[in-house]
């Protein structure tokens, strides 16, 4: 098991409702992805959990407020976004910057996300482990990253 998990925000831990704009903490409704609460609860006993997002509408404080609205904030040790890394998420440099900020070896970090080109491939290129959360696909692990259909699979 990894010592550190980075989770994508939208459609990995919290539902990204396309009809709403602006900071998620201000949306009229917010919800978690199925299995997110149970998975974070189990993983947080054994690993540090952080959020790694490409959100441009929200500050770190607003991201934290959104997680607090759905009860996930107690499991999250910190939040990384373009504002505090200086890099866009779809680049290896983004993940390298997070590893530096955490004073961690890249191979001790696992990125979990739903977008192959923004979450998974740049994380792998930066030396991180990666898990593609893809409930709608029949894709299989390919040796570079793992594929899961439910978040609960992370704790199995």
């Amino acid at each position: 098991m990894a010592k550190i998990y980075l989770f994508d925000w939208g459609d990995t831990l919290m539902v990204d409702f396309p009809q709403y704009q602006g900071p998620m903490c201000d949306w009229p409704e917010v919800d978690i992805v199925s299995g997110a609460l149970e998975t974070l609860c189990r993983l947080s006993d054994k690993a540090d959990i952080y959020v790694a997002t490409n959100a441009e509408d929200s500050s770190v404080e607003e991201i934290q407020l959104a997680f607090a609205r759905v009860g996930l904030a107690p499991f999250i040790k910190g939040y990384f976004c373009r504002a505090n890394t200086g890099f866009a998420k779809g680049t290896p440099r983004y993940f390298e910057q997070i590893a530096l900020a955490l004073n961690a070896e890249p191979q001790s970090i696992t990125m979990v996300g739903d977008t192959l080109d923004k979450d998974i491939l740049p994380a792998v290129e930066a030396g991180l482990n990666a898990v593609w959360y893809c409930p709608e696909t029949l894709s299989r692990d390919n040796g570079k990253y793992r594929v899961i259909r439910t978040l609960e699979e992370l704790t199995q």
Side-chain angles (χ1 to χ4, degrees), residues 127-145:
L128 281 66
N129 300 299
V131 179
W132 186 20
Y133 169 60
C134 196
E136 305 296 322
T137 188
L138 298 177
S139 293
R140 299 184 184 268
D141 299 356
N142 72 356
K144 293 183 181 179
Y145 54 85

Side-chain angles (χ1 to χ4, degrees), residues 42-140:
R42 286 190 188 111
L43 287 178
S44 66
D45 286 341
K46 301 173 181 119
D48 293 336
I49 299 171
Y50 295 86
V51 171
T53 179
N54 206 37
E56 295 179 5
D57 289 344
S58 300
S59 67
V60 172
E61 294 78 19
E62 289 168 328
I63 296 168
Q64 188 173 6
L65 286 171
F67 276 86
R69 281 186 68 186
V70 295
L72 296 180
F75 305 106
I76 310 295
K77 291 192 72 113
Y79 303 85
F80 293 100
C81 59
R82 186 179 198 139
N84 64 1
T85 64
F87 297 95
K89 184 176 171 194
T91 65
R93 189 71 184 115
Y94 175 87
F95 294 101
E96 292 164 1
Q97 189 65 31
I98 291 173
L100 286 171
L102 295 175
N103 195 28
E105 293 296 322
Q107 63 270 21
S108 71
I109 302 171
T110 297
M111 175 64 199
V112 181
D114 69 316
T115 306
L116 189 62
D117 63 335
K118 298 265 187 202
D119 298 327
I120 305 309
L121 298 178
V124 168
E125 192 174 333
L128 281 66
N129 300 299
V131 179
W132 186 20
Y133 169 60
C134 196
E136 305 296 322
T137 188
L138 298 177
S139 293
R140 299 184 184 268

